[in-house]
């Protein structure tokens, strides 16, 4: 059976990836900080899908946590989903620099290190996949979060371009607003976001897996968000920044 390692696997998009891949018959390695939630998630997946599930508690903002996951990846996986991430409960100038550095460690350093830990084994076997979860925010200007996700997109595309093996792929996944606990954890007021902008985590994962199979390097789920990204590239960046800065946070 193929093996998939998923970071941030106990909630939201990460949990949706775990369900989808379990249904597809993958052996799972679930990574998150909360041991209790990991254990509960693993038990539910084993019961529902009858697959083997390994739990790996790790804080990806710490070097020790990243090293633990690197060591597991070096033993070999078929699919890596770098999904762990978070948002800040304040605007850029209001957030302590230590918190900003923590975000960069999780969104950028961990993604870099874990991708590089997984790729050698994938290349030697001639097959393997990496999905780095970014965001539609990567295409707009909105503080450190969007900047870090822009790095994820650029890094993923750059890595994909340098891999000669046709069956080893790296893809950035860029969802828009997804109904998860992400916004509540970041203390974001989402009351002003229209209902039609929200996607389900399961839909995001389904479209991501379809785009991965097609060999795409960037996946933007839903026709609506594809259009938003396309239009955003034509609008002056200072105007885009003003609009995006007001949307979803007060």
């Amino acid at each position: 059976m193929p093996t998939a390692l998923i970071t941030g696997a106990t909630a939201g998009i990460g949990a949706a990836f775990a369900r989808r891949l379990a249904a597809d018959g993958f052996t799972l390695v679930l990574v998150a900080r909360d041991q209790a939630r990991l254990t509960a998630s693993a038990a539910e997946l084993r019961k529902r899908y009858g697959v083997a599930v390994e739990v790996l508690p790790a804080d990806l903002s710490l070097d020790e946590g990243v090293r633990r996951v690197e060591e597991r990846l070096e033993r070999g996986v078929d699919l890596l989903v770098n999904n762990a991430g978070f948002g800040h409960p304040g605007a850029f100038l209001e957030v302590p620099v230590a918190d900003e550095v923590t975000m960069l460690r999780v969104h950028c350093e961990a993604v870099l290190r874990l991708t590089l830990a997984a790729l050698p084994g994938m290349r030697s076997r001639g097959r393997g996949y990496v999905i780095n979860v970014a965001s539609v925010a990567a295409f707009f200007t909105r503080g450190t979060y969007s900047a870090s996700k822009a790095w994820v997109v650029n890094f993923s595309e750059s890595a994909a371009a340098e891999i000669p093996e046709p069956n080893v792929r790296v893809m950035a996944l860029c969802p828009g607003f997804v109904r998860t606990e992400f916004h509540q954890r970041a203390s974001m007021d989402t009351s002003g976001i229209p209902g039609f902008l929200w996607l389900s985590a399961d839909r995001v994962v389904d479209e991501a897996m379809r785009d991965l199979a097609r060999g795409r390097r960037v996946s933007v789920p839903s026709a609506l968000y594809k259009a938003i990204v396309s239009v955003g590239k034509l609008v002056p960046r200072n105007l885009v920044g003003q609009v995006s800065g007001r949307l979803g946070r007060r």
Side-chain angles (χ1 to χ4, degrees):
M1 293 294 181
T3 299
L5 186 148
I6 308 164
T7 70
T10 58
I13 294 173
F17 266 111
R19 292 191 298 269
R20 165 61 190 267
L21 295 172
D24 289 346
F26 277 75
T27 294
L28 301 179
V29 183
L30 306 183
V31 178
R33 292 181 299 173
D34 191 324
Q35 172 78 63
R37 290 188 75 175
L38 275 174
T39 300
S41 297
E44 174 62 26
L45 290 164
R46 293 188 193 106
K47 179 180 179 181
R48 182 174 179 182
Y49 299 102
V51 297
V53 184
E54 176 185 342
V55 298
L56 180 54
D59 185 342
L60 297 182
S61 70
L62 303 176
D63 186 66
E64 177 186 3
V66 177
R67 281 204 310 270
R68 292 188 68 197
V69 184
E70 284 176 317
E71 290 170 359
R72 178 60 185 85
L73 290 168
E74 288 165 359
R75 288 158 47 195
V77 301
D78 300 280
L79 171 61
L80 165 63
V81 181
N82 278 314
N83 169 72
F86 62 94
H88 288 311
F92 169 60
L93 295 177
E94 302 168 355
V95 178
V97 67
D99 293 347
E100 296 284 17
V101 171
T102 297
M103 173 176 282
L104 293 178
R105 286 176 178 158
V106 175
H107 290 185
C108 301
E109 181 183 346
V111 169
L112 169 68
R113 290 175 59 179
L114 299 187
T115 299
L116 291 177
L119 283 176
M122 293 177 177
R123 294 188 63 196
S124 68
R125 293 188 299 274
R127 187 176 184 85
Y129 309 97
V130 178
I131 298 175
N132 293 325
V133 179
S135 170
V136 160
F139 305 102
F140 301 91
T141 52
R142 189 174 176 183
T144 311
Y145 181 82
S146 67
S148 67
K149 293 303 186 180
W151 182 90
V152 172
V153 174
N154 193 306
F155 166 69
S156 300
E157 290 186 285
S158 299
E162 293 192 25
I163 297 171
E165 294 82 7
N167 291 319
V168 179
R169 300 172 186 171
V170 179
M171 184 184 80
L173 171 60
C174 302
F177 291 110
V178 184
R179 294 199 182 279
T180 69
E181 59 188 56
F182 173 90
H183 299 91
Q184 288 74 24
R185 285 185 172 185
S187 301
M188 294 181 183
D189 178 5
T190 60
S191 60
I193 301 173
F196 65 86
L197 286 177
W198 290 98
L199 304 175
S200 73
D202 290 324
R203 177 182 177 182
V204 168
V205 170
D206 287 344
E207 294 203 27
M209 295 303 293
R210 184 163 57 248
D211 285 345
L212 184 67
R214 292 171 174 168
R216 293 184 178 171
R217 295 178 178 177
V218 178
S219 171
V220 180
S222 90
L224 174 61
Y225 277 107
K226 287 181 176 65
I228 289 172
V229 169
S230 297
V231 171
K233 293 178 180 179
L234 302 176
V235 177
R237 293 186 67 82
N238 61 338
L239 177 59
V240 171
Q242 293 174 21
V243 174
S244 64
R246 295 190 181 99
L247 186 59
R249 188 196 298 274
R250 294 177 182 174

